[in-house]
Amino acid sequence: MNNLPKLQIALDDQMLSEAIKTMQLVYKEIDIIEIGTILCCSEGMSTVKNLKAMYPDKIILADIKIADAGEILSKMVFDAGADWTTVICCAPIDTVKAALKEAKKRNKDIQIELTGSWTFEQAKQWKEVGVEQVVYHRGRDAQAAGQTWDVHDLNNIERLINMGFKVSVTGGITVKDLKLFKDMAINIFIAGRSIRDSKDPLEAAKEFKTAIKKYWG
Amino acid sequence: MNNLPKLQIALDDQMLSEAIKTMQLVYKEIDIIEIGTILCCSEGMSTVKNLKAMYPDKIILADIKIADAGEILSKMVFDAGADWTTVICCAPIDTVKAALKEAKKRNKDIQIELTGSWTFEQAKQWKEVGVEQVVYHRGRDAQAAGQTWDVHDLNNIERLINMGFKVSVTGGITVKDLKLFKDMAINIFIAGRSIRDSKDPLEAAKEFKTAIKKYWG
């Protein structure tokens, strides 16, 4: 494989100040800064503007999970400084197209967020309209209900990669989980609480990077 | 029918100040104030707090379309003062349950937002876990692509009502469209641009109320 999987931190705080505290500790190890849905909804687009101002060289992803109004919402996050944004998997294909069009105009990108119900029939449609990135998601509530990474997840991820998508993987991922994916060309691993809630977030981020080099280097 | 359909205004502005200007004109005719996804993402939960402070006697709906993290997100909007919030139709059932639990604790409610792909199989699940409200949505991007209200929409709405759901109807609704629904026990009509962008928003809201009384009174 040519490229190492990248490391994305999910900032799912309710206050920008908390997200900033985490970033100041870990920024050196992070490739992509995700401003989580929680933080976007809590404090709005100023979170995107301010984090882009602080980290202009990082990829800033505003995870707003667009379901409708693809043009207005994607313009809004891109104008605020986001490089990437997300569209929820059940969104009408016209919404996907509208958001993708705004992204491509600006040399930016969207990702389809695979949270909850979706089908490979839809995935084929996303591919046809030019979507390049998807986020494979083991939901927070599904995790809480005891759902773990299983063969079903791994098969789905492999199938998406084989379709030509760049795949991000997320959902309570720990360093120990990385080995499960070692034979696949994962584009991005997203870690949230396993870095943020660690006693030493920088060390936790470094452990992710070390494991990524070990399995994909 | 016992009750007249209620009128909900969708405040899909990017600035709270614009939403406030509309509300000051129309508040007398409005039953439910929807703080749209655009406004929630743009300025955050302060929009919910401030509109609840201005209109404590109205039902405040924060349309954040929860897809995951049902407990955290619903707590966040309810703590900000929202009476209702929305969960997107593709959300895992555990997310629906988590959001509904937080709502019921507070004598508040959630609505399932039917934007994009969903099935009656899912609707059965929502019913089983205790969901009472759904929002039938003709998407903004679908409208722009020329999709109109048709027999398919009307049949779906009737079927949802027959399943026992309280149904809100939205998606570029004009006063003229109301007649299409006259034989159905619609719970709420949601109007956005047809009121906000009118030369006389109060008059436009009054026309909705007059038509509602005419067809359902």
Side-chain angles (χ1 to χ4, degrees):
Chain A
M1 286 163 217
N2 300 323
N3 300 307
L4 291 180
K6 290 178 274 298
L7 182 60
Q8 173 173 324
I9 189 162
L11 299 172
D12 277 321
D13 306 277
Q14 288 193 32
M15 289 170 67
L16 176 61
S17 55
E18 292 300 316
I20 291 171
K21 284 180 199 166
T22 300
M23 281 312 301
Q24 288 196 311
L25 295 173
V26 302
Y27 73 96
K28 281 185 188 160
E29 300 294 333
I30 300 300
D31 303 301
I32 299 142
I33 302 172
E34 173 194 330
I35 304 166
T37 311
I38 293 167
L39 187 52
C40 286
C41 283
S42 176
E43 295 205 7
M45 285 299 105
S46 61
T47 59
V48 178
K49 274 185 208 163
N50 292 331
L51 282 164
K52 188 66 187 177
M54 281 179 254
Y55 303 102
D57 301 332
K58 303 284 185 186
I59 294 170
I60 301 282
L61 168 58
D63 180 23
I64 64 165
K65 299 186 174 73
I66 296 171
D68 192 20
E71 182 183 335
I72 294 175
L73 283 169
S74 59
K75 267 186 186 164
M76 189 173 84
V77 294
F78 293 140
D79 287 350
D83 299 290
W84 295 349
T85 191
T86 54
V87 175
I88 190 74
C89 51
C90 63
I93 196 69
D94 290 318
T95 298
V96 175
K97 283 160 74 177
L100 189 62
K101 190 177 163 192
E102 294 304 316
K104 294 300 172 189
K105 265 187 205 172
R106 295 164 172 85
N107 203 22
K108 298 187 170 192
D109 208 3
I110 66 161
Q111 302 177 316
I112 305 288
E113 175 83 18
L114 306 178
T115 291
S117 319
W118 60 279
T119 66
F120 278 99
E121 202 52 49
Q122 289 173 294
K124 220 179 116 190
Q125 275 197 305
W126 303 327
K127 196 72 205 157
E128 281 165 8
V129 301
V131 171
E132 294 171 40
Q133 296 195 65
V134 300
V135 183
Y136 192 87
H137 208 279
R138 186 170 60 123
R140 189 186 269 256
D141 297 315
Q143 292 162 49
Q147 194 186 306
T148 56
W149 293 105
D150 59 17
V151 176
H152 177 73
D153 290 313
L154 300 179
N155 285 346
N156 281 342
I157 292 168
E158 187 142 46
R159 203 167 152 191
L160 290 163
I161 292 171
N162 289 340
M163 286 177 76
F165 288 111
K166 294 180 206 162
V167 179
S168 299
V169 177
T170 187
I173 287 188
T174 64
V175 172
K176 279 183 192 162
D177 292 330
L178 293 183
K179 200 164 63 173
L180 291 170
F181 305 95
K182 71 181 170 52
D183 297 323
M184 292 189 275
I186 304 297
N187 189 41
I188 298 164
F189 284 108
I190 308 175
R193 286 165 289 173
S194 59
I195 293 178
R196 293 199 325 268
D197 295 351
S198 165
K199 275 184 195 164
D200 185 339
L202 178 61
E203 189 52 36
K206 278 182 181 164
E207 282 171 14
F208 269 95
K209 282 297 185 84
T210 303
I212 287 172
K213 274 178 207 139
K214 178 176 163 189
Y215 296 119
W216 284 268
Chain B
M1 288 168 217
N2 300 324
N3 301 305
L4 291 180
K6 290 177 276 296
L7 182 59
Q8 173 174 325
I9 188 160
L11 300 171
D12 276 321
D13 306 277
Q14 289 192 33
M15 290 169 68
L16 176 61
S17 54
E18 292 301 314
I20 291 172
K21 283 180 199 166
T22 301
M23 280 312 301
Q24 288 196 312
L25 295 173
V26 302
Y27 73 95
K28 279 186 190 161
E29 300 294 332
I30 300 299
D31 303 302
I32 298 142
I33 302 172
E34 173 195 330
I35 304 165
T37 310
I38 294 167
L39 187 53
C40 286
C41 282
S42 176
E43 296 206 5
M45 285 300 103
S46 61
T47 59
V48 177
K49 274 185 209 162
N50 292 331
L51 282 163
K52 187 67 187 178
M54 282 178 255
Y55 302 102
D57 299 331
K58 303 283 184 186
I59 294 170
I60 301 283
L61 168 58
D63 180 24
I64 63 166
K65 299 184 175 71
I66 296 171
D68 191 21
E71 182 183 334
I72 294 175
L73 283 169
S74 59
K75 267 186 189 166
M76 189 173 85
V77 295
F78 293 141
D79 287 350
D83 299 290
W84 297 349
T85 190
T86 55
V87 175
I88 190 73
C89 51
C90 64
I93 197 69
D94 291 318
T95 299
V96 175
K97 283 159 75 176
L100 189 62
K101 190 176 161 190
E102 293 305 315
K104 293 301 173 188
K105 266 187 206 172
R106 295 164 172 84
N107 204 22
K108 297 187 170 191
D109 208 3
I110 66 162
Q111 302 177 317
I112 306 288
E113 176 82 20
L114 305 178
T115 292
S117 318
W118 61 278
T119 65
F120 278 98
E121 202 54 48
Q122 289 173 294
K124 220 179 116 188
Q125 275 197 305
W126 303 327
K127 195 72 205 160
E128 279 165 9
V129 302
V131 171
E132 295 171 39
Q133 297 195 66
V134 300
V135 183
Y136 192 88
H137 207 279
R138 187 169 62 122
R140 189 185 269 257
D141 298 315
Q143 292 163 49
Q147 194 186 307
T148 55
W149 294 106
D150 59 17
V151 176
H152 177 74
D153 290 312
L154 300 180
N155 285 346
N156 281 343
I157 292 168
E158 186 141 48
R159 203 166 151 191
L160 290 163
I161 293 171
N162 289 341
M163 286 177 76
F165 289 111
K166 296 179 204 165
V167 179
S168 298
V169 177
T170 186
I173 287 188
T174 63
V175 171
K176 278 182 192 162
D177 292 330
L178 293 184
K179 198 164 64 175
L180 291 170
F181 305 95
K182 70 181 171 51
D183 296 323
M184 292 189 275
I186 304 297
N187 189 40
I188 298 165
F189 284 108
I190 308 175
R193 287 164 290 173
S194 58
I195 292 177
R196 292 198 324 269
D197 296 351
S198 164
K199 277 184 194 166
D200 185 339
L202 178 61
E203 189 52 36
K206 278 183 182 164
E207 282 171 14
F208 268 94
K209 282 298 187 81
T210 303
I212 287 171
K213 273 179 209 138
K214 178 176 163 191
Y215 296 118
W216 283 269

